[in-house]
Amino acid sequence: IVFILAAGSIAAGLYKLLRTTPYYSRFICHHKAQAAAQARLLKVLLQSNTGQAVFVDSDDLVELDGLFDTVKTRVGHLVVYLTRFTLSRPWCAGEITTALATHRCKVVKVLTESFVPLTVEQLGALDSYLDLKSCSLEQYGITMPHIADAFHKLLSGEGVITIRSPSEVKGSGHFERLTRLLIQCKDDPMGSSAAPTALPALPSKKDMVVISSDV
């Protein structure tokens, strides 16, 4: 019995050592100009209701060059929060491409009211659609064909969990409902837009005020 306990303790220690830390249950991929406060609120609600860490770059990014490695090795679900220009951002494109290239990270897309899918012409001219002034993805081994393939999978729903943002619910209730949908979906490839049941109520944050001018 002592031997079994010792072996179990060693195995647990090795697991903690080999597992890349910190580990994030979810990584919220978003367009800062349109959804920074929305992503922050989702992070707060998800962490409060699950007790699991959630990555938002403005809070958790330490080293920019390690961003894609974080997605590849430290994230359970990449939540792609799709507002109108999310897919035009190179860092978002890189995060999506990286997540869809690995089996370690599941991808969840959240369709908001402002999102407009790319046209065939835009998909065929990603080098001009993407705002590449701020970075070059090729230095990270991410090429335009890689991004085009990833966007095709994301938009078609191939291997991606899809959630429609509950536009019928307004105010804080909108994000509480969306939080429950994100918790509920787990690894269901079809996703869901229906109100989940049998989930604990989200904690009240009477001392927290969230102000947003996001679209």
Side-chain angles (χ1 to χ4, degrees):
I1 296 176
V2 173
F3 174 77
I4 294 174
L5 291 175
S9 178
I10 292 172
L14 286 173
Y15 173 77
K16 290 180 180 180
L17 180 64
L18 294 174
R19 179 177 176 176
T20 307
T21 56
Y23 181 81
Y24 301 95
S25 173
R26 293 170 180 84
F27 180 119
I28 302 178
C29 169
H30 64 288
H31 182 201
K32 285 185 180 179
Q34 291 184 321
Q38 297 175 35
R40 176 75 58 78
L41 178 55
L42 281 175
K43 172 183 176 174
V44 170
L45 292 173
L46 285 165
Q47 288 189 157
S48 296
N49 205 48
T50 66
Q52 299 171 334
V54 176
F55 187 104
V56 170
D57 54 7
S58 57
D59 293 341
D60 304 290
L61 183 61
V62 176
E63 184 180 354
L64 189 58
D65 285 340
L67 179 65
F68 300 137
D69 283 337
T70 296
V71 174
K72 186 185 299 183
T73 64
R74 303 181 187 181
V75 174
H77 290 78
L78 182 79
V79 178
V80 185
Y81 192 78
L82 291 170
T83 50
R84 186 171 182 82
F85 298 112
T86 303
L87 296 183
S88 71
R89 309 310 301 164
W91 294 111
C92 292
E95 291 159 8
I96 294 165
T97 302
T98 300
L100 286 171
T102 176
H103 297 295
R104 292 174 60 107
C105 182
K106 305 296 183 183
V107 177
V108 183
K109 66 176 179 181
V110 176
L111 301 172
T112 70
E113 285 187 291
S114 67
F115 177 65
V116 178
L118 275 66
T119 64
V120 174
E121 291 74 18
Q122 289 171 326
L123 282 171
L126 287 176
D127 53 345
S128 59
Y129 175 78
L130 290 169
D131 180 7
L132 296 173
K133 299 174 185 176
S134 59
C135 77
S136 171
L137 294 175
E138 289 192 358
Q139 65 179 308
Y140 302 102
I142 301 173
T143 65
M144 288 300 154
H146 292 150
I147 298 171
D149 182 60
F151 279 8
H152 172 75
K153 290 179 180 177
L154 182 77
L155 295 172
S156 67
E158 180 183 343
V160 174
I161 302 166
T162 301
I163 292 177
R164 293 190 178 278
S165 188
S167 58
E168 72 280 3
V169 184
K170 305 300 181 182
S172 61
H174 172 91
F175 291 97
E176 291 175 353
R177 172 75 66 83
L178 180 55
T179 298
R180 289 187 171 91
L181 290 171
L182 286 168
I183 295 171
Q184 181 191 44
C185 72
K186 295 182 179 179
D187 297 330
D188 176 9
M190 297 304 292
S192 174
S193 59
T197 57
L199 283 174
L202 292 172
S204 174
K205 292 286 183 179
K206 295 181 180 179
D207 58 341
M208 181 179 72
V209 176
V210 177
I211 300 175
S212 171
S213 60
D214 300 341
V215 177

